[in-house]
Each structure stands twice: as structure tokens, then as C-alpha cells.
Amino acid sequence: MVLQVQTSTYEAKTQEIAKQLLAATQENRSFFASLRDQMRWDDKLLAWAMSNPGLRVQLFRFIDTLPALHSKSEIASHLQEYLGDESVELPAALKGMLNFANPDSVPGQVAATTVGTAVETLAHKYIAGENIKQVIKTVERLRKEKMAFTIDLLGEAVITEAEAQSYLERYLELMQQLVEASKNWAVIPAIDEADGEPLPKVQVSVKLTAFYSQFDPLDAKGSEQRVSDRIRILLRRAKELGAAVHFDMEQYAYKDITLNILKKLLVEEEFRQRTDIGITIQAYLRDSEEDVKNVISWLKQRGYPLTIRLVKGAYWDQETIKAAQKHWPQPVYNDKAATDANFETITQLLLENHQYVYSAIGSHNVRSHARAIAIAESLNVPRRRFELQVLYGMGDKVAKALVDRGYRVRVYCPYGELLPGMAYLIRRLLENTANSSFLRQNLENRPIEELLAAPVVDVSHAEAQREVGAAASADLNFGGRREENGGFVGAADTDYAEEEGRRKAVEAFASVRQQLGKTYLPLVNGEYVNTAEFVDSLNPSNFSEVVGKVGLISVEQAEQAMKAAKAAFPGWRKTPVEERARILRKAADLMEQRRAELSAWMVLEVGKPVKEADGEVSEAIDFCRYYADEMERLDKGVIYDIPGETNRYIYQPRGIAVVISPWNFPLAIACGMTVAALVSGNCTLLKPAETSSVIAAKLTEILVDAGFPQGVFQYVPGKGSQVGAYLVNHPDTHVIAFTGSQEVGCRIYADAATLKPGQKHMKRVIAEMGGKNAIIVDESADLDQAVVGVVQSAFGYSGQKCSACSRVVVLEPIYDTFVQRLVEATKSLNIGEAELPSTQVGPVIDANARDRIREYIEKGKAEAQLALELPAPEHGYFIGPVIFSEVSPNAVISQQEIFGPVLAVIRVKDFQEALAVANGTNYALTGGLYSRTPSHIQQAQTEFEVGNLYINRTITGAIVARQPFGGFKLSGVGSKAGGPDYLLQFLEPRAVTENIQRQGFAPIDGVD
């Protein structure tokens, strides 16, 4: 079904005005054809990017890297690396310029200078100035052209509280200087007055998230409080100065909390009557029309108008990718026509409510502006209540034509250093060179009728697009699963930007707290059995709180469990794979239903912050569904038939599996190892770590409810040194799946290798034994990204992940800058009880861990420089993050796994040394690289000795069937969890051959 935007009473007028505006910009129409012939390289680069998609991608990647390159040689070598890529078809002029043998050569230097200057010129097109003096010069020029302005401060991402405070102070300074300069400006009635009312000459645009470095929708109250304190200071000063303030809108995750904060703040008595404040709505968001209706209703109650700036939206690629990766519904329209149609709908909605809201229509599309003017003129909207906006450097001709028609035009002017402003520049370049861009289509001499046509939306296609993300997650609720490009689609994490997700978490904590202190007994042969010994599982955030009492089995009870497993095995191995897989999928569905509750148990029993606990539930669900799929695939076997003979390659279960699971991923790893063994047809005994036995008991409830028969799955909590050792050494044990320390893993490996009396098989050991994981940060890295990634990788869950970053290897040119920002970013983290939504660093697991980590910190103080040691609360097992700098690669804290929030930062001279240092431990689990140098990325892929290598992202949080997890060297033995060969470890392969000839006769396929 195709829907054309209603040809309303406004359409004829829209067309008439649009044609007039287009005619006023027509002198530009032959511009594109002459671009290639012009001498200016900045224009040539843009023209080439428009005509060549491969070049466009690589060119913009190079421009993104440029801020980090500090010499002409570096620029020249990166130019060759990016634009010399096989995917890029180069224009002759560019090919000739890049044809140099050495980046240090004269041709190399010339190329670097030419392209560097061109990019700088491009940046000057879209960035209004590098300092306030330049900005004042720019806005004074705009005012001469009868255009108003709003100033936006560009810069590095706000990742520290010092930067958030600096952001506020820079805006206060900006307003002060602009207002001071404005005292010398003559009044220009077109932009300084409307309907007899004076308008502020100075306006600034700010981003809410920049006022608090830990801004997070999960911590809605905390974020609101911290942000509101700084906004009040800004708004008070703006009033004193007579400046207007506009709030930009950013990523979708922040939209609802941004609107909520502003709605609360702007009805406070102090601010209620202010009309010099604005908020932004993005028309590419599917729920933007509903948002506008809600804001208008709120404004009616408030009683005083505010400005709503309507824009299309600037983060389309980012929003689309994030939703696809998270299996969330797409928040944005997938078709530009749908965005354009929505933009027109909202424009009409705003202007029809002009008595409550001031409209600011931001676009470079002539039709969008014409539509707004047609509606405004038809409704006689007062001039004060309506203005048009464009971005600096884009749509200049359109802006002039609008001014000539007598409309108030405001230019959105970003300012700041050119290099940190590159992210903004690239968004603008993407917008300018996109196939669907109005500016590009206008330059390409598209027919006027096509340029100005009403947006046409294919409704059925638009709905289908939205459901791509939603269906995957919705399907999971009833146990189905979608194939996406032939691959596995995982469970969707909770989106805590949605109020419902936060509400469910609060309710789950209330429910779980009522169940604290209960007793959990082992499950042996389908019965919960009493034990002589019990252990209290404590909340590490508050060790006076008992989460549950866990019964520990004796060696005699362990023997009963082994006998029950042995008795159940013949029946379970004959159970059809479809039935085993069905039980796994049922378990996954039960976990999805109990998601918030399971998260709450993890938060309270092992001190894992809420978001990370929720992600772990997703991982457990994924293990169930993925291994169910995998076993059905393996069950088909392989056919190697030849004429006269059938050859079948098939799998059978091994026997009895003992699963020894860790406390740090108490649900996901316990579940993954257990269900892998079960779906393969093995009877399985789960012995969890003592400190996480309550969560294992909850997993047990789910597996029992899902339908595993008695004796097939048994929950056997007990002391590792007694029960664990007994089960490992038992002659009837076939498979041992272990995750834990290297010391215990090696002992299990040795014990399993010893043939016991009565044992008729070799035991298979799957052991994941930790890591000493390094992230390399080279001189081309995006430091905003690298600092945030290292902080999350090192201090997420207090560094208690086998994948956590405990070493950062940093190249000398950026070492000092990196350490400084790393320390400031870490200082800004919130340390506290895991249950609090603001917490990023919770407790460590128990007193033993706390004391051991403290010992390592003392060793670190003796062998390196202490860059940061944060204080921590006393009422739990807390250790504040610790950073050591100038650490030797061979220091104890560089070589031994600490398993806590302790980070060693190592300085190296070059990339070759960085790889040698990163590889210089006994482990090979995870590693990371932050780099924008293609040759470094390529080299790391082949030479970085790790099982999981992550480039330009965090090194924790592996996802099933996306990043199968596991390492080598002393990090472990066995195939990767969540990968296509993991189940093979629980199976014995068999080949069965049958001669099908009878008396020389055999059927031959294809012969009658």
C-alpha cells in the first residue's frame, strides 16, 4: 500500500512557494558539473565522494583519523593506506597524487599538505570558528545578511566530571562574550524584533548529556539531579545576560529522559514564565509526532510558550546499527520519504498550535521550508511564533532566499577546534553526499517536479522495516527464533531507556528482597535432599545481608548423584534430539519470563550491576536456544555415500558430565556449560561456586520446570576441595567442564589424565582459566573512544571478568594525554552498592578476594607509579578502582591475574613493541586494539595472540554466535563457548559403513 501525503489545501501554495525559492537558488544549478574542473581540492573531494561510494567510505574514515595525525609523514602514509584500499576506485588526479614511494618523500609531503589543507577548508565551511573571536566575526557577518544565530560548542566527548564542569563554564563564558559584543550591534528589525516584542540577540544551543559524564537513563533520578543543578546555573546566568538557551536532542536512548528533565525543570517557579528557551524534536523518530502532542499538552498546562526546533535528525546510521545489534525495534524511519512526510505532519501540528508553541523549522529541503511557509501564511501565524533554521555552511542560498521573502532565519553555528570537531564535520559530509540529500539532488539537476514532489511513503514496507528489529525480540517471548541473513538471532537485552524496563527492575528487587534468607537444597535424582552442612551466601554490597542458605552435599551424596546419573543415562541418550532441544527452548522461555527477577538475584548475590546482570540473562537464554539449534544440526550427521555403500558420520553422547561453574557469571556460564552437556545427551551434575549457589538454585528451578527428567540434571553444591575433587576423579565421569582459576584448572587437567580403577575411557576436559588481557592504544586512536572503552573493560563488574582489561599498552606519543584522561574518567565513576542504578563499580565477591586484591595493590605501589586509587565504601567488600602508570611489562601486576579493579598502564615506543608486550604473558584470552591505522589493524589480526580480539570497542561482553568465547596458551583448553564446534566436546563421533550390494546388485541413484 502506497500512501501519498495528503494533498491538502496547503499543497498548491507549497508548490508555488517552493518553485519561487528554488528559482532564487537556481544560479547554483550548474555548479556540480563544473566541480571536477575546479582547482579547489575541498570541492573535488566532495564531488568524488558523491560519485564513488567506495571512495566516500574510505575518505571519510581518513578524515575521521586526521585529528590524531601529527606529522605530514603520518598523514601521507594514512592517505595511502585508506585510499590505496582495493575497494577504492581512484580518480586519476588522486591516483597520481598518491603515487609516492615513501611518506617522507617530497611527493608524499605535497600530498599530505594538499589533502590536509583541503580537509581544513572543508571544516571551515561547516564550523563557524575555532574560538569565540572568530565566532563573533561570523555572527556579525550573518547579522549583516539579516540572519539570526544559535551557537553550539563542539569538542571532545564529555567522559569526565571535570569535562562536564568545563562544558558549563565554557557556555557561561561564551554567553558573556557574545552578549558583551552584542551591545555594539545595531538593531535589525527582521531578527531582533517580532510583533513589537524584542527578541534576544544571543542564543546558544546545548546538549543535556554534556552536563553529567555518567548520564544514563537507567539512573534517571540521579542523572536528572546532576544535570538539573548545572542547567539551573546556565539558565539563571542566561536570564541575567538576556541570552536565549536551546536544548538539542541527541541519541534516541536519551530522548525520553531529556524531555522529562526539561518538563520538570521548566515548570519550576523560577523558570515557568521563561519563553526564551527551546527544545528539539527529531522527525526521523517514529514516535516524534506523539512526543510533540505530549509537549504541546504540557505547554498548555504550563501557560507560557517555548520554542520547538523541528529537525530531521543527525544520528540515523548510529540508531539503525544499535537497534539491529541489540535486536530492538528500529526507532527511526528507514525511508527518507517517511521522515519527510512525518516532518510535514509535525510542521503542521506545531503551526496549528502557534498560540502555545513557537516553531523553528530546521531543514535544507526547499519543499520543507515552503510547506512551513504555506501553512504559516494560511493560518496567519504571528512572526514571533515562527522561524526557519539552517545549518552553517549548508543551504546558504536557501537561507538568503528565505530572508529575501521577509522570514526570520536562524543559522545553527557550531564552533570549536577543527580537529575535535571532526565527528560533526563527518555527519555533515555524510548528509551532503547521501543519495537522498536534497542539496545533492539539487546539484545534480534533478527535475523540479521530482525535487518538490510530496513525499510518497510505502506504508507496508515502512511497517515491515520497523518489525525487523521488533520481530526478533518479540518472537523470543514465545520461544520462536528468527533467522537473520541465515544467522542466529539472540535475545534482546532490556532497554532501560524505556520506563517499563526500569519499573520491572524495581518490582523485581522488591519481590526478591522478600525471599532473602531462604534455604536451598541440592537436587539429587529428582529430589531436594537435606544436608549436614550449610553455607550462607552473602550480599557482597552489604555482607550483613544473607541472600540464602545453601545445603552442601557430602561425598556420600555425591556418589548417590553419580549413581542416579548413570542409571538415567541409557534413557536420556535415546531421547530424540528434537525432544532435548524442545526442553532447552522451554528453559529459555522461562528465563525470559523471569528475566528481571534473575537479574535481581545476580545483583544481590554476586554484586553485579543491573545492566550487566540483564545482559547475562540474555546470554543464558542465547546458550539454550543456540545449542538447541546446533544439536539439531549435528544430529543430521554427514553422509559420505558412494555407489554400493552407505557411509554415515554421526555423533553420540559421552556419558556423565560434571560442570564446575564460576561465581562471576553465575547464570550464563553455569547455564551454557550445563545445557551444552544436556542437549548432547549427557547426564549432568552442576557444582556451582559456593558464593553463587543461590543463582544456580534458581537455574535449577528453571531446568526442572522445563522438563529435564530426574537423574538427567542434578544440582550438587559442595566444597570444591572435597565434592569437586571427588567428582573430577570419579571413574564414571566422562566430561569435565570447568571455568575458574588457572591453578584449579591445571589440577583438574592433571587429575583427569590419571586413569582410575574401573575407568574405561579417557576423560575430556574443557577448561577456561582466565587471562591477563591487554588493550593496545596507538597514536591514531580516537581517544574519546579508547578512554571510555578501557574504563568499561577494566572496571566493569570491578574487573572480575576473565575477559577484563588489566593492562593498557600505550604508544609513547599519546601516553601522557591518555593517562591523564583515563584517570579523570575513572574518577568520575560511581562506586556503590550494585543495586543502585547509578552504580558503575560495585563490590568484589568476598573478603578473600578483597584481601588478595589489596596485596596486589601494595605490590604495585612498590614496582610502579600510583596514578589513581579511589576510596570505597566500608560496609561491603569494596575496592575503589586503582590505576598504575609507568609499569614494567615484567612487573608482577603486569603478569599475574588479579581479578579486581586494578589496571596497569605500560608505555611503549612503537606498535611492534606494543604487540610484543601484549603477547608477553602466559595467557591468550581477550585483547583489544584502539587504532585508525589500517596496517596496525591488519597486523593485530594476525599477530595478537588472543582467542578473542576486539578492535575499536570494549573487550568484554562476548555474545553467543557473534563472538564465540575462549582462549589458548594457559587461558584454557577446548573450543569456544557459543560457537559452532562447542558441542563436539560433549560428543563422540562415529562412522558407520554398510555394504548395500546383494549378490552383486545395488541400487544406483539416477539410474532407472
Side-chain angles (χ1 to χ4, degrees):
M1 169 183 165
V2 172
L3 175 71
Q4 188 145 7
V5 173
Q6 186 185 358
T7 309
S8 63
T9 50
Y10 303 124
E11 184 59 28
K13 196 162 188 175
T14 300
Q15 290 290 332
E16 180 192 344
I17 295 166
K19 284 171 184 170
Q20 291 167 2
L21 290 172
L22 207 53
T25 67
Q26 277 299 283
E27 63 205 79
N28 201 14
R29 291 295 294 278
S30 61
F31 178 60
F32 184 66
S34 63
L35 267 179
R36 290 170 210 277
D37 308 320
Q38 288 185 11
M39 292 304 294
R40 286 180 51 161
W41 274 87
D42 55 310
D43 286 334
K44 285 187 176 182
L45 288 177
L46 264 189
W48 289 331
M50 286 189 197
S51 59
N52 185 331
L55 174 60
R56 181 171 180 248
V57 170
Q58 290 300 95
L59 182 62
F60 290 172
R61 283 181 177 164
F62 167 74
I63 291 172
D64 175 54
T65 312
L66 201 55
L69 307 178
H70 300 296
S71 71
K72 287 182 181 175
S73 297
E74 286 181 21
I75 293 172
S77 66
H78 280 78
L79 253 179
Q80 270 192 335
E81 287 196 38
Y82 276 103
L83 303 188
D85 190 89
E86 289 175 5
S87 66
V88 181
E89 195 180 317
L90 289 179
L94 204 50
K95 192 180 285 185
M97 191 176 71
L98 293 179
N99 190 22
F100 52 84
N102 187 329
D104 293 317
S105 65
V106 173
Q109 302 288 295
V110 170
T113 304
T114 305
V115 175
T117 306
V119 173
E120 203 168 299
T121 307
L122 264 179
H124 277 298
K125 277 187 174 179
Y126 302 110
I127 296 173
E130 293 190 74
N131 52 50
I132 294 179
K133 195 175 172 185
Q134 289 179 11
V135 166
I136 290 172
K137 202 171 168 186
T138 298
V139 300
E140 286 176 347
R141 177 175 56 77
L142 289 172
R143 285 179 60 80
K144 279 180 188 164
E145 295 169 12
K146 296 183 184 173
M147 295 183 199
F149 65 86
T150 185
I151 306 291
D152 165 46
L153 186 55
L154 293 174
E156 296 163 324
V158 171
I159 57 178
T160 75
E161 275 307 275
E163 289 166 358
Q165 183 60 31
S166 167
Y167 183 81
L168 171 63
E169 288 165 3
R170 287 169 70 196
Y171 263 106
L172 297 175
E173 172 69 11
L174 173 65
M175 290 193 303
Q176 170 81 40
Q177 293 209 30
L178 285 170
V179 169
E180 200 57 44
S182 74
K183 290 173 183 173
N184 300 317
W185 298 342
V187 171
I188 299 169
I191 54 176
D192 296 334
E193 297 172 350
D195 308 328
E197 183 186 331
L199 303 179
K201 289 179 181 174
V202 171
Q203 186 188 103
V204 295
S205 288
V206 301
K207 292 174 174 56
L208 213 66
T209 61
F211 289 106
Y212 178 39
S213 63
Q214 310 304 312
F215 193 94
D216 184 356
L218 174 61
D219 180 27
K221 282 184 182 168
S223 297
E224 179 187 328
Q225 183 188 336
R226 300 293 290 272
V227 164
S228 298
D229 286 346
R230 286 182 170 136
I231 291 175
R232 288 187 189 98
I233 294 168
L234 181 80
L235 292 180
R236 284 171 193 143
R237 185 63 180 140
K239 186 178 184 182
E240 290 168 11
L241 293 168
V245 176
H246 197 98
F247 292 96
D248 283 331
M249 193 60 77
E250 301 169 83
Q251 288 86 347
Y252 182 69
Y254 304 132
K255 173 180 69 74
D256 288 348
I257 183 175
T258 296
L259 290 173
N260 289 341
I261 288 171
L262 292 175
K263 282 179 182 176
K264 280 189 189 174
L265 193 81
L266 297 177
V267 292
E268 290 176 8
E269 202 52 47
E270 184 181 357
F271 305 113
R272 187 180 190 122
Q273 295 181 25
R274 295 277 290 274
T275 59
D276 56 352
I277 297 169
I279 59 180
T280 305
I281 294 288
Q282 298 160 313
Y284 70 179
L285 295 180
R286 294 169 185 272
D287 47 13
S288 52
E289 184 183 354
E290 193 59 36
D291 287 335
V292 170
K293 288 176 179 173
N294 291 336
V295 170
I296 290 170
S297 298
W298 167 76
L299 283 171
K300 288 176 182 176
Q301 293 171 345
R302 182 176 185 263
Y304 296 90
L306 294 171
T307 299
I308 290 183
R309 176 195 291 151
L310 178 64
V311 297
K312 302 279 171 76
Y315 302 92
W316 188 88
D317 296 61
Q318 201 179 100
E319 300 290 10
T320 306
I321 290 166
K322 182 178 180 181
Q325 288 184 347
K326 294 279 193 181
H327 309 302
W328 289 343
Q330 287 283 0
V332 291
Y333 289 109
N334 293 67
D335 298 316
K336 186 176 182 299
T339 296
D340 288 343
N342 192 44
F343 190 90
E344 294 191 6
T345 300
I346 296 173
T347 298
Q348 185 170 331
L349 186 60
L350 291 172
L351 292 169
E352 286 174 350
N353 285 278
H354 61 80
Q355 63 271 49
Y356 309 110
V357 62
Y358 300 153
S359 302
I361 308 300
S363 177
H364 307 110
N365 186 320
V366 166
R367 178 185 164 87
S368 298
H369 283 304
R371 185 72 168 187
I373 294 169
I375 297 168
E377 288 184 355
S378 301
L379 298 176
N380 291 317
V381 175
R383 288 298 165 97
R384 169 67 186 97
R385 294 170 179 267
F386 168 59
E387 68 178 39
L388 301 159
Q389 297 193 352
V390 295
L391 287 171
Y392 182 76
M394 293 178 69
D396 296 351
K397 293 267 167 49
V398 175
K400 186 178 183 308
L402 293 168
V403 169
D404 291 345
R405 285 187 70 96
Y407 285 94
R408 184 168 73 253
V409 173
R410 190 176 303 278
V411 181
Y412 185 97
C413 300
Y415 105 90
E417 292 176 56
L418 293 186
L419 298 184
M422 279 301 165
Y424 174 86
L425 172 61
I426 286 171
R427 283 210 302 277
R428 296 290 74 83
L429 294 178
L430 285 169
E431 195 174 325
N432 251 339
T433 57
N435 287 329
S436 56
S437 155
F438 179 88
L439 293 174
R440 174 175 176 169
Q441 291 175 356
N442 192 14
L443 287 174
E444 289 177 340
N445 283 319
R446 296 283 176 92
I448 288 176
E449 295 71 24
E450 186 184 327
L451 279 175
L452 303 182
V456 178
V457 184
D458 183 339
V459 176
S460 55
H461 177 66
E463 282 308 307
Q465 287 288 326
R466 174 168 176 74
E467 296 312 316
V468 165
S473 43
D475 258 21
L476 303 186
N477 293 332
F478 55 80
R481 188 183 63 73
R482 293 251 172 157
E483 293 287 330
E484 198 175 87
N485 301 327
F488 175 81
V489 175
D493 293 347
T494 300
D495 182 0
Y496 290 107
E498 305 279 346
E499 198 278 330
E500 185 189 3
R502 301 195 296 271
R503 179 184 53 76
K504 282 183 178 174
V506 170
E507 289 171 357
F509 277 115
S511 167
V512 166
R513 282 204 164 279
Q514 291 175 347
Q515 302 171 56
L516 294 183
K518 285 188 174 179
T519 298
Y520 298 89
L521 297 174
L523 179 75
V524 176
N525 200 20
E527 302 287 333
Y528 288 103
V529 297
N530 276 311
T531 60
E533 194 177 352
F534 289 84
V535 66
D536 287 347
S537 182
L538 307 178
N539 177 356
S541 293
N542 178 6
F543 42 65
S544 62
E545 189 169 64
V546 177
V547 175
K549 292 180 179 297
V550 179
L552 302 179
I553 64 168
S554 62
V555 167
E556 291 73 27
Q557 288 171 313
E559 178 57 33
Q560 290 169 19
M562 286 300 285
K563 285 178 177 168
K566 198 172 180 180
F569 178 63
W572 184 239
R573 71 176 294 173
K574 289 176 187 169
T575 302
V577 164
E578 291 75 15
E579 173 61 13
R580 291 187 230 145
R582 184 195 64 76
I583 299 174
L584 255 67
R585 294 189 180 109
K586 177 73 187 298
D589 295 346
L590 292 172
M591 281 186 224
E592 189 64 76
Q593 289 164 22
R594 295 178 63 175
R595 172 185 284 276
E597 177 213 339
L598 290 169
S599 294
W601 281 113
M602 275 187 274
V603 171
L604 294 175
E605 191 179 24
V606 299
K608 183 165 281 199
V610 177
K611 263 190 201 165
E612 300 204 39
D614 179 77
E616 184 169 340
V617 179
S618 296
E619 187 179 3
I621 293 167
D622 288 350
F623 277 135
C624 290
R625 292 186 173 136
Y626 179 68
Y627 291 151
D629 287 0
E630 280 297 292
M631 194 58 230
E632 287 176 339
R633 176 180 69 83
L634 292 171
D635 190 47
K636 294 171 185 170
V638 184
I639 296 170
Y640 295 119
D641 291 355
I642 57 171
E645 184 177 280
T646 62
N647 291 285
R648 299 285 186 274
Y649 188 82
I650 57 175
Y651 298 97
Q652 68 182 30
R654 286 179 178 270
I656 295 171
V658 172
V659 171
I660 302 173
S661 64
W663 52 262
N664 65 330
F665 283 87
L667 179 67
I669 293 181
C671 176
M673 295 193 295
T674 299
V675 299
L678 289 167
V679 79
S680 308
N682 303 286
C683 289
T684 306
L685 287 74
L686 169 61
K687 194 213 82 65
E690 286 177 44
T691 42
S692 60
S693 294
V694 172
I695 296 156
K698 296 295 163 187
L699 172 62
T700 298
E701 292 170 9
I702 287 166
L703 296 181
V704 169
D705 289 349
F708 284 105
Q710 66 179 48
V712 169
F713 166 72
Q714 298 176 88
Y715 164 62
V716 290
K719 291 214 171 294
S721 55
Q722 297 166 14
V723 169
Y726 179 78
L727 294 174
V728 164
N729 285 288
H730 201 286
D732 289 329
T733 296
H734 290 77
V735 183
I736 301 146
F738 166 80
T739 300
S741 71
Q742 182 191 312
E743 180 193 354
V744 175
C746 289
R747 193 185 314 136
I748 288 171
Y749 205 69
D751 287 348
T754 306
L755 204 62
K756 304 298 184 299
Q759 184 179 323
K760 298 176 182 175
H761 55 269
M762 297 304 293
K763 293 174 182 174
R764 168 60 73 95
V765 175
I766 306 154
E768 198 270 276
M769 303 185 294
K772 189 67 187 171
N773 311 304
I775 292 177
I776 296 173
V777 183
D778 79 5
E779 63 271 61
S780 71
D782 178 333
L783 284 194
D784 287 348
Q785 197 182 49
V787 169
V788 171
V790 168
V791 167
Q792 289 176 354
S793 301
F795 303 123
Y797 193 34
S798 302
Q800 299 176 111
K801 301 177 185 177
C802 40
S803 57
C805 169
S806 56
R807 297 179 297 149
V808 197
V809 183
V810 186
L811 268 68
E812 196 159 38
I814 55 160
Y815 185 89
D816 294 333
T817 307
F818 177 81
V819 170
Q820 181 190 350
R821 289 198 79 197
L822 176 71
V823 166
E824 285 300 323
T826 306
K827 271 186 199 170
S828 305
L829 296 173
N830 297 317
I831 304 165
E833 296 178 25
E835 188 179 350
L836 300 174
S838 60
T839 292
Q840 285 130 340
V841 181
V844 297
I845 188 65
D846 60 16
N848 289 339
R850 180 195 60 199
D851 296 345
R852 190 192 72 252
I853 295 164
R854 282 177 177 168
E855 286 174 18
Y856 274 110
I857 292 169
E858 290 310 308
K859 285 177 188 167
K861 287 175 181 175
E863 59 186 6
Q865 289 181 22
L866 180 67
L868 178 70
E869 182 174 20
L870 285 180
E874 293 293 322
H875 56 268
Y877 302 120
F878 289 96
I879 290 185
V882 176
I883 298 172
F884 289 103
S885 62
E886 306 300 349
V887 186
S888 160
N890 299 316
V892 170
I893 58 169
S894 297
Q895 290 291 320
Q896 295 182 15
E897 187 176 39
I898 300 171
F899 227 62
V902 180
L903 182 62
V905 192
I906 301 167
R907 185 194 295 261
V908 292
K909 284 191 170 56
D910 55 35
F911 191 68
Q912 205 56 48
E913 187 187 351
L915 276 174
V917 168
N919 291 337
T921 73
N922 295 332
Y923 297 95
L925 188 53
T926 64
L929 169 64
Y930 281 92
S931 172
R932 290 178 289 192
T933 301
S935 57
H936 286 179
I937 292 170
Q938 183 65 44
Q939 192 178 353
Q941 287 173 355
T942 54
E943 295 179 23
F944 203 148
E945 295 175 3
V946 288
N948 286 61
L949 176 62
Y950 298 94
I951 298 165
N952 292 324
R953 55 149 286 174
T954 57
I955 66 169
T956 62
I959 292 173
V960 172
R962 197 182 289 176
Q963 296 110 9
F965 186 76
F968 51 96
K969 286 165 71 171
L970 288 183
S971 282
V973 60
S975 292
K976 286 171 165 293
D981 39 14
Y982 188 71
L983 292 188
L984 297 178
Q985 302 166 115
F986 297 88
L987 295 163
E988 296 280 13
R990 295 178 62 215
V992 178
T993 297
E994 181 186 356
N995 172 15
I996 54 171
Q997 294 186 79
R998 292 286 189 276
Q999 306 298 329
F1001 163 78
I1004 301 174
D1005 282 349
V1007 178
D1008 292 333

